[in-house]
Amino acid sequence: EAQVTQNPRYLITVTGKKLTVTCSQNMNHEYMSWYRQDPGLGLRQIYYSMNVEVTDKGDVPEGYKVSRKEKRNFPLILESPSPNQTSLYFCASRRFLTDTQYFGPGTRLTVL
Amino acid sequence: AQSVTQPDIHITVSEGASLELRCNYSYGATPYLFWYVQSPGQGLQLLLKYFSGDTLVQGIKGFEAEFKRSQSSFNLRKPSVHWSDAAEYFCAVGAGGTASKLTFGTGTRLQVTL
């Protein structure tokens, strides 16, 4: 089954404790992206990657890091999480421009 | 930089009535435009997209949208709403040659009354 998976689905952590949210897709997609969703703000793009070792900033990259060492994986790293990073995070992937973008199920992160 | 405005935060329609959700965008070049739907507790699903060509695009679940360059709009329509259409709807604009940078609107929550 074609899918985008995220782990963990739910995470409660404390300020400053480094964490990684994994994202994996089994569709051999070149393009992957991370978004955060906050009430009243819609989805905002954090980072995206056009292919292995190619990443770029979205609209809200501060406080986040990403890496793309393999085509299927695109982890989101919070080196020192803060309460304002409490949010619902979505990973997404697609093959090329005209292809449909598939979203993962989301990761709800709470930073205390 | 591109931007998207969805002026209606919340809309209520009766089942069987027609629906139009508004979307206005700002982008200097020809935009790539998308409509997504998000059901409660779910991820996002693509309804339809516009890249070029015919300005009236058909999507899944009976939805359509019309690109109007002169009005910078990409409104979503459905002639007859079903109760299962209750969800949140997001318009998005993609920038760059590959629409790699996506900017979403703040969403419109649709409630359907029976």
Side-chain angles (χ1 to χ4, degrees), chain B residues 49-71:
Chain B
K49 56 195 174 189
Y50 171 79
F51 292 129
S52 64
D54 193 347
T55 56
L56 184 63
V57 294
Q58 303 296 322
I60 62 172
K61 303 185 180 188
F63 285 92
E64 67 178 26
E66 186 170 13
F67 170 58
K68 292 186 177 180
R69 185 187 299 276
S70 61
Q71 297 176 20

PDB file of all heavy atoms in Angstrom, chain B residues 49-71:
ATOM      1  N   LYS B  49      -6.393  20.372  -8.633  1.00  0.00           N
ATOM      2  CA  LYS B  49      -5.231  21.239  -8.808  1.00  0.00           C
ATOM      3  C   LYS B  49      -5.323  21.922 -10.169  1.00  0.00           C
ATOM      4  O   LYS B  49      -5.928  21.395 -11.118  1.00  0.00           O
ATOM      5  CB  LYS B  49      -3.942  20.432  -8.715  1.00  0.00           C
ATOM      6  CG  LYS B  49      -3.881  19.272  -9.702  1.00  0.00           C
ATOM      7  CD  LYS B  49      -2.781  18.294  -9.339  1.00  0.00           C
ATOM      8  CE  LYS B  49      -2.848  17.069 -10.261  1.00  0.00           C
ATOM      9  NZ  LYS B  49      -1.938  15.991  -9.833  1.00  0.00           N
ATOM     10  N   TYR B  50      -4.715  23.084 -10.253  1.00  0.00           N
ATOM     11  CA  TYR B  50      -4.633  23.825 -11.505  1.00  0.00           C
ATOM     12  C   TYR B  50      -3.177  24.166 -11.769  1.00  0.00           C
ATOM     13  O   TYR B  50      -2.498  24.773 -10.929  1.00  0.00           O
ATOM     14  CB  TYR B  50      -5.449  25.121 -11.437  1.00  0.00           C
ATOM     15  CG  TYR B  50      -5.208  26.003 -12.627  1.00  0.00           C
ATOM     16  CD1 TYR B  50      -5.821  25.742 -13.850  1.00  0.00           C
ATOM     17  CD2 TYR B  50      -4.332  27.092 -12.549  1.00  0.00           C
ATOM     18  CE1 TYR B  50      -5.572  26.542 -14.952  1.00  0.00           C
ATOM     19  CE2 TYR B  50      -4.079  27.887 -13.647  1.00  0.00           C
ATOM     20  CZ  TYR B  50      -4.698  27.603 -14.851  1.00  0.00           C
ATOM     21  OH  TYR B  50      -4.443  28.388 -15.943  1.00  0.00           O
ATOM     22  N   PHE B  51      -2.730  23.799 -12.977  1.00  0.00           N
ATOM     23  CA  PHE B  51      -1.384  24.152 -13.384  1.00  0.00           C
ATOM     24  C   PHE B  51      -1.413  25.054 -14.602  1.00  0.00           C
ATOM     25  O   PHE B  51      -0.672  26.027 -14.691  1.00  0.00           O
ATOM     26  CB  PHE B  51      -0.549  22.906 -13.685  1.00  0.00           C
ATOM     27  CG  PHE B  51      -0.249  22.082 -12.472  1.00  0.00           C
ATOM     28  CD1 PHE B  51      -0.504  20.718 -12.452  1.00  0.00           C
ATOM     29  CD2 PHE B  51       0.297  22.653 -11.346  1.00  0.00           C
ATOM     30  CE1 PHE B  51      -0.228  19.967 -11.321  1.00  0.00           C
ATOM     31  CE2 PHE B  51       0.582  21.900 -10.210  1.00  0.00           C
ATOM     32  CZ  PHE B  51       0.320  20.556 -10.208  1.00  0.00           C
ATOM     33  N   SER B  52      -2.232  24.721 -15.570  1.00  0.00           N
ATOM     34  CA  SER B  52      -2.347  25.524 -16.783  1.00  0.00           C
ATOM     35  C   SER B  52      -3.522  24.988 -17.585  1.00  0.00           C
ATOM     36  O   SER B  52      -4.159  24.009 -17.188  1.00  0.00           O
ATOM     37  CB  SER B  52      -1.064  25.445 -17.615  1.00  0.00           C
ATOM     38  OG  SER B  52      -0.859  24.121 -18.066  1.00  0.00           O
ATOM     39  N   GLY B  53      -3.825  25.658 -18.698  1.00  0.00           N
ATOM     40  CA  GLY B  53      -4.865  25.154 -19.585  1.00  0.00           C
ATOM     41  C   GLY B  53      -6.247  25.600 -19.159  1.00  0.00           C
ATOM     42  O   GLY B  53      -6.444  26.730 -18.708  1.00  0.00           O
ATOM     43  N   ASP B  54      -7.195  24.710 -19.280  1.00  0.00           N
ATOM     44  CA  ASP B  54      -8.587  25.006 -18.984  1.00  0.00           C
ATOM     45  C   ASP B  54      -8.721  25.560 -17.576  1.00  0.00           C
ATOM     46  O   ASP B  54      -8.253  24.962 -16.603  1.00  0.00           O
ATOM     47  CB  ASP B  54      -9.416  23.733 -19.133  1.00  0.00           C
ATOM     48  CG  ASP B  54     -10.908  24.007 -19.158  1.00  0.00           C
ATOM     49  OD1 ASP B  54     -11.308  25.141 -18.812  1.00  0.00           O
ATOM     50  OD2 ASP B  54     -11.672  23.095 -19.510  1.00  0.00           O
ATOM     51  N   THR B  55      -9.395  26.694 -17.475  1.00  0.00           N
ATOM     52  CA  THR B  55      -9.474  27.363 -16.180  1.00  0.00           C
ATOM     53  C   THR B  55     -10.514  26.739 -15.252  1.00  0.00           C
ATOM     54  O   THR B  55     -10.567  27.080 -14.079  1.00  0.00           O
ATOM     55  CB  THR B  55      -9.794  28.852 -16.368  1.00  0.00           C
ATOM     56  OG1 THR B  55     -11.004  28.970 -17.128  1.00  0.00           O
ATOM     57  CG2 THR B  55      -8.656  29.557 -17.093  1.00  0.00           C
ATOM     58  N   LEU B  56     -11.339  25.877 -15.764  1.00  0.00           N
ATOM     59  CA  LEU B  56     -12.307  25.152 -14.934  1.00  0.00           C
ATOM     60  C   LEU B  56     -11.772  23.736 -14.762  1.00  0.00           C
ATOM     61  O   LEU B  56     -11.644  22.987 -15.726  1.00  0.00           O
ATOM     62  CB  LEU B  56     -13.678  25.135 -15.597  1.00  0.00           C
ATOM     63  CG  LEU B  56     -14.807  24.481 -14.792  1.00  0.00           C
ATOM     64  CD1 LEU B  56     -15.052  25.258 -13.496  1.00  0.00           C
ATOM     65  CD2 LEU B  56     -16.081  24.408 -15.622  1.00  0.00           C
ATOM     66  N   VAL B  57     -11.454  23.388 -13.528  1.00  0.00           N
ATOM     67  CA  VAL B  57     -10.875  22.071 -13.265  1.00  0.00           C
ATOM     68  C   VAL B  57     -11.838  21.229 -12.447  1.00  0.00           C
ATOM     69  O   VAL B  57     -12.522  21.733 -11.549  1.00  0.00           O
ATOM     70  CB  VAL B  57      -9.511  22.183 -12.558  1.00  0.00           C
ATOM     71  CG1 VAL B  57      -8.501  22.821 -13.463  1.00  0.00           C
ATOM     72  CG2 VAL B  57      -9.611  22.953 -11.262  1.00  0.00           C
ATOM     73  N   GLN B  58     -11.857  19.967 -12.787  1.00  0.00           N
ATOM     74  CA  GLN B  58     -12.716  19.025 -12.078  1.00  0.00           C
ATOM     75  C   GLN B  58     -11.877  18.228 -11.101  1.00  0.00           C
ATOM     76  O   GLN B  58     -10.724  17.890 -11.374  1.00  0.00           O
ATOM     77  CB  GLN B  58     -13.387  18.076 -13.067  1.00  0.00           C
ATOM     78  CG  GLN B  58     -14.207  18.773 -14.144  1.00  0.00           C
ATOM     79  CD  GLN B  58     -15.390  19.532 -13.570  1.00  0.00           C
ATOM     80  OE1 GLN B  58     -16.031  19.080 -12.629  1.00  0.00           O
ATOM     81  NE2 GLN B  58     -15.685  20.703 -14.137  1.00  0.00           N
ATOM     82  N   GLY B  59     -12.459  17.935  -9.960  1.00  0.00           N
ATOM     83  CA  GLY B  59     -11.733  17.154  -8.975  1.00  0.00           C
ATOM     84  C   GLY B  59     -12.518  15.944  -8.528  1.00  0.00           C
ATOM     85  O   GLY B  59     -13.496  15.547  -9.156  1.00  0.00           O
ATOM     86  N   ILE B  60     -12.093  15.417  -7.409  1.00  0.00           N
ATOM     87  CA  ILE B  60     -12.773  14.246  -6.872  1.00  0.00           C
ATOM     88  C   ILE B  60     -13.991  14.673  -6.058  1.00  0.00           C
ATOM     89  O   ILE B  60     -14.158  15.851  -5.732  1.00  0.00           O
ATOM     90  CB  ILE B  60     -11.821  13.416  -5.988  1.00  0.00           C
ATOM     91  CG1 ILE B  60     -11.340  14.235  -4.780  1.00  0.00           C
ATOM     92  CG2 ILE B  60     -10.639  12.901  -6.804  1.00  0.00           C
ATOM     93  CD1 ILE B  60     -10.552  13.429  -3.763  1.00  0.00           C
ATOM     94  N   LYS B  61     -14.844  13.730  -5.780  1.00  0.00           N
ATOM     95  CA  LYS B  61     -16.027  13.929  -4.930  1.00  0.00           C
ATOM     96  C   LYS B  61     -16.986  14.971  -5.502  1.00  0.00           C
ATOM     97  O   LYS B  61     -17.749  15.575  -4.751  1.00  0.00           O
ATOM     98  CB  LYS B  61     -15.623  14.332  -3.503  1.00  0.00           C
ATOM     99  CG  LYS B  61     -14.694  13.344  -2.833  1.00  0.00           C
ATOM    100  CD  LYS B  61     -14.432  13.731  -1.393  1.00  0.00           C
ATOM    101  CE  LYS B  61     -13.499  12.738  -0.729  1.00  0.00           C
ATOM    102  NZ  LYS B  61     -13.352  12.956   0.710  1.00  0.00           N
ATOM    103  N   GLY B  62     -16.958  15.216  -6.792  1.00  0.00           N
ATOM    104  CA  GLY B  62     -17.896  16.134  -7.412  1.00  0.00           C
ATOM    105  C   GLY B  62     -17.536  17.606  -7.288  1.00  0.00           C
ATOM    106  O   GLY B  62     -18.354  18.475  -7.610  1.00  0.00           O
ATOM    107  N   PHE B  63     -16.346  17.916  -6.829  1.00  0.00           N
ATOM    108  CA  PHE B  63     -15.912  19.299  -6.692  1.00  0.00           C
ATOM    109  C   PHE B  63     -15.302  19.826  -7.995  1.00  0.00           C
ATOM    110  O   PHE B  63     -14.745  19.074  -8.781  1.00  0.00           O
ATOM    111  CB  PHE B  63     -14.874  19.433  -5.578  1.00  0.00           C
ATOM    112  CG  PHE B  63     -15.459  19.348  -4.195  1.00  0.00           C
ATOM    113  CD1 PHE B  63     -15.526  18.133  -3.538  1.00  0.00           C
ATOM    114  CD2 PHE B  63     -15.940  20.488  -3.563  1.00  0.00           C
ATOM    115  CE1 PHE B  63     -16.066  18.040  -2.264  1.00  0.00           C
ATOM    116  CE2 PHE B  63     -16.483  20.408  -2.293  1.00  0.00           C
ATOM    117  CZ  PHE B  63     -16.546  19.185  -1.641  1.00  0.00           C
ATOM    118  N   GLU B  64     -15.415  21.133  -8.186  1.00  0.00           N
ATOM    119  CA  GLU B  64     -14.762  21.811  -9.282  1.00  0.00           C
ATOM    120  C   GLU B  64     -14.275  23.171  -8.789  1.00  0.00           C
ATOM    121  O   GLU B  64     -14.725  23.674  -7.754  1.00  0.00           O
ATOM    122  CB  GLU B  64     -15.689  21.995 -10.476  1.00  0.00           C
ATOM    123  CG  GLU B  64     -16.839  22.940 -10.221  1.00  0.00           C
ATOM    124  CD  GLU B  64     -17.714  23.141 -11.462  1.00  0.00           C
ATOM    125  OE1 GLU B  64     -17.762  22.243 -12.330  1.00  0.00           O
ATOM    126  OE2 GLU B  64     -18.345  24.215 -11.553  1.00  0.00           O
ATOM    127  N   ALA B  65     -13.333  23.741  -9.518  1.00  0.00           N
ATOM    128  CA  ALA B  65     -12.831  25.066  -9.168  1.00  0.00           C
ATOM    129  C   ALA B  65     -12.529  25.818 -10.443  1.00  0.00           C
ATOM    130  O   ALA B  65     -12.170  25.223 -11.468  1.00  0.00           O
ATOM    131  CB  ALA B  65     -11.580  24.964  -8.300  1.00  0.00           C
ATOM    132  N   GLU B  66     -12.657  27.120 -10.382  1.00  0.00           N
ATOM    133  CA  GLU B  66     -12.404  27.957 -11.548  1.00  0.00           C
ATOM    134  C   GLU B  66     -11.312  28.960 -11.241  1.00  0.00           C
ATOM    135  O   GLU B  66     -11.382  29.711 -10.261  1.00  0.00           O
ATOM    136  CB  GLU B  66     -13.665  28.686 -11.977  1.00  0.00           C
ATOM    137  CG  GLU B  66     -13.489  29.455 -13.277  1.00  0.00           C
ATOM    138  CD  GLU B  66     -14.782  29.987 -13.838  1.00  0.00           C
ATOM    139  OE1 GLU B  66     -15.801  29.974 -13.110  1.00  0.00           O
ATOM    140  OE2 GLU B  66     -14.769  30.439 -14.996  1.00  0.00           O
ATOM    141  N   PHE B  67     -10.302  28.972 -12.073  1.00  0.00           N
ATOM    142  CA  PHE B  67      -9.198  29.925 -11.959  1.00  0.00           C
ATOM    143  C   PHE B  67      -9.569  31.185 -12.721  1.00  0.00           C
ATOM    144  O   PHE B  67      -9.861  31.145 -13.926  1.00  0.00           O
ATOM    145  CB  PHE B  67      -7.919  29.315 -12.546  1.00  0.00           C
ATOM    146  CG  PHE B  67      -6.776  30.279 -12.699  1.00  0.00           C
ATOM    147  CD1 PHE B  67      -6.282  30.967 -11.609  1.00  0.00           C
ATOM    148  CD2 PHE B  67      -6.184  30.490 -13.945  1.00  0.00           C
ATOM    149  CE1 PHE B  67      -5.229  31.851 -11.743  1.00  0.00           C
ATOM    150  CE2 PHE B  67      -5.126  31.373 -14.085  1.00  0.00           C
ATOM    151  CZ  PHE B  67      -4.650  32.055 -12.986  1.00  0.00           C
ATOM    152  N   LYS B  68      -9.559  32.309 -12.009  1.00  0.00           N
ATOM    153  CA  LYS B  68      -9.837  33.600 -12.639  1.00  0.00           C
ATOM    154  C   LYS B  68      -8.648  34.510 -12.383  1.00  0.00           C
ATOM    155  O   LYS B  68      -8.501  35.082 -11.296  1.00  0.00           O
ATOM    156  CB  LYS B  68     -11.119  34.212 -12.077  1.00  0.00           C
ATOM    157  CG  LYS B  68     -12.372  33.441 -12.458  1.00  0.00           C
ATOM    158  CD  LYS B  68     -13.624  34.168 -11.987  1.00  0.00           C
ATOM    159  CE  LYS B  68     -14.885  33.419 -12.432  1.00  0.00           C
ATOM    160  NZ  LYS B  68     -16.130  34.105 -11.986  1.00  0.00           N
ATOM    161  N   ARG B  69      -7.829  34.653 -13.411  1.00  0.00           N
ATOM    162  CA  ARG B  69      -6.609  35.432 -13.255  1.00  0.00           C
ATOM    163  C   ARG B  69      -6.917  36.888 -12.924  1.00  0.00           C
ATOM    164  O   ARG B  69      -6.252  37.485 -12.077  1.00  0.00           O
ATOM    165  CB  ARG B  69      -5.776  35.357 -14.537  1.00  0.00           C
ATOM    166  CG  ARG B  69      -4.422  36.054 -14.433  1.00  0.00           C
ATOM    167  CD  ARG B  69      -3.737  36.094 -15.795  1.00  0.00           C
ATOM    168  NE  ARG B  69      -3.498  34.757 -16.311  1.00  0.00           N
ATOM    169  CZ  ARG B  69      -2.444  34.022 -15.985  1.00  0.00           C
ATOM    170  NH1 ARG B  69      -1.544  34.489 -15.149  1.00  0.00           N
ATOM    171  NH2 ARG B  69      -2.298  32.818 -16.507  1.00  0.00           N
ATOM    172  N   SER B  70      -7.928  37.441 -13.563  1.00  0.00           N
ATOM    173  CA  SER B  70      -8.240  38.868 -13.380  1.00  0.00           C
ATOM    174  C   SER B  70      -8.671  39.177 -11.957  1.00  0.00           C
ATOM    175  O   SER B  70      -8.505  40.301 -11.478  1.00  0.00           O
ATOM    176  CB  SER B  70      -9.339  39.292 -14.351  1.00  0.00           C
ATOM    177  OG  SER B  70     -10.528  38.561 -14.104  1.00  0.00           O
ATOM    178  N   GLN B  71      -9.212  38.168 -11.284  1.00  0.00           N
ATOM    179  CA  GLN B  71      -9.661  38.361  -9.900  1.00  0.00           C
ATOM    180  C   GLN B  71      -8.718  37.700  -8.895  1.00  0.00           C
ATOM    181  O   GLN B  71      -8.987  37.732  -7.696  1.00  0.00           O
ATOM    182  CB  GLN B  71     -11.072  37.782  -9.736  1.00  0.00           C
ATOM    183  CG  GLN B  71     -12.105  38.484 -10.610  1.00  0.00           C
ATOM    184  CD  GLN B  71     -13.480  37.841 -10.504  1.00  0.00           C
ATOM    185  OE1 GLN B  71     -13.785  37.133  -9.553  1.00  0.00           O
ATOM    186  NE2 GLN B  71     -14.333  38.086 -11.497  1.00  0.00           N
TER     187      GLN B  71
END
